[in-house]
Amino acid sequence: KQKQLPAAAEAARAVLAIDANNADAWSRLGAVLGKQGDAVAAREAFQQATKAAPEQWRLHFNLGLMLRDAGDYDAALREFQAAASCDPSQTGPWELSAAMLRRASRKEEALLADLRALQTAPKDWTLCSMVAVQLSQAGLLVVAVEHATRATELGPNEPKAWSRLAEILLDMPIVDGPRALQAARRADELAKGADARGTWLLARAEGANG
């Protein structure tokens, strides 16, 4: 915490000299090495941590972050999924699993991971709104509207929640023009006209209402 990284690494190695299977020491060493810019050694340390305590979700999650940052997305996905399996109540592993799955064009699996993430944090408006977008892109528009509406209830003063609701309503086969316009106006009002995309959605909504 005092930014004395060489001393911190030395302390972690001193622990490991006594107990080579100390997962916490491996994890701390990995964190220090990462801060020192030695990504390869940091990754190896995190891998040792997961081997020492494979049941700890945080260790898999940290290794997943390291792998993602290194561009090894398949390996990162495996670690995020392992973290989710260790503790399904954690939001982060599900969210990042979804992100990796979307990157691999595994959209259905990604959507399921998004929904699992939302189960762990049902009052998170950001997550609820993002899930609404994914549902919309999957063609599940009715359920998407439900989630987008819920997001505005959870974040009533968040312009992005309202603009996403407006956009999904405008993409419905039968457009609910008045409701879309109401949502778009609310988004523009909250953004004080400073969001270009929100202004564009407002124009779309006005057009939909003649």
Side-chain angles (χ1 to χ4, degrees):
K1 291 182 179 179
Q2 296 175 9
K3 310 302 181 184
Q4 299 180 38
L5 300 182
E10 182 181 352
R13 290 191 175 102
V15 175
L16 293 168
I18 300 168
D19 178 10
N21 290 316
N22 190 304
D24 185 56
W26 279 116
S27 180
R28 290 177 186 274
L29 178 59
V32 172
L33 292 169
K35 290 178 181 179
Q36 290 180 316
D38 193 343
V40 174
R43 175 173 170 173
E44 291 174 353
F46 280 126
Q47 287 172 332
Q48 290 295 330
T50 59
K51 290 178 182 177
E55 76 286 352
Q56 293 188 26
W57 78 271
R58 176 67 71 179
L59 300 179
H60 290 286
F61 186 73
N62 288 340
L63 176 55
L65 292 173
M66 180 70 63
L67 292 164
R68 180 200 63 180
D69 293 344
D72 194 344
Y73 302 113
D74 290 339
L77 172 60
R78 288 193 293 271
E79 294 302 325
F80 292 141
Q81 290 177 327
S85 296
C86 289
D87 188 351
S89 69
Q90 298 296 329
T91 306
W94 291 114
E95 281 190 288
L96 290 177
S97 291
M100 295 298 98
L101 287 163
R102 272 194 297 275
R103 187 180 183 87
S105 299
R106 295 161 63 179
K107 296 180 181 179
E108 294 82 2
E109 294 172 83
L111 179 56
L112 290 175
D114 279 326
L115 291 169
R116 290 298 300 271
L118 185 57
Q119 284 181 329
T120 69
K123 294 185 179 181
D124 185 333
W125 79 266
T126 305
L127 190 54
C128 192
S129 181
M130 190 178 74
V131 168
V133 172
Q134 299 304 324
L135 288 164
S136 176
Q137 292 177 354
L140 302 171
L141 294 173
V142 173
V143 187
V145 170
E146 292 175 358
H147 281 74
T149 302
R150 176 63 175 158
T152 62
E153 294 168 352
L154 294 169
N157 297 316
E158 301 292 342
K160 185 166 286 187
W162 287 100
S163 64
R164 283 177 173 167
L165 173 59
E167 186 166 12
I168 292 170
L169 288 167
L170 288 167
D171 288 339
M172 294 286 286
I174 300 176
V175 176
D176 186 342
R179 189 180 175 194
L181 181 57
Q182 181 184 29
R185 282 176 172 166
R186 180 61 175 155
D188 190 60
E189 176 188 350
L190 290 168
K192 298 180 179 179
D195 179 22
R197 184 172 180 81
T199 304
W200 173 70
L201 285 170
L202 178 57
R204 280 188 64 194
E206 288 173 339
N209 284 272

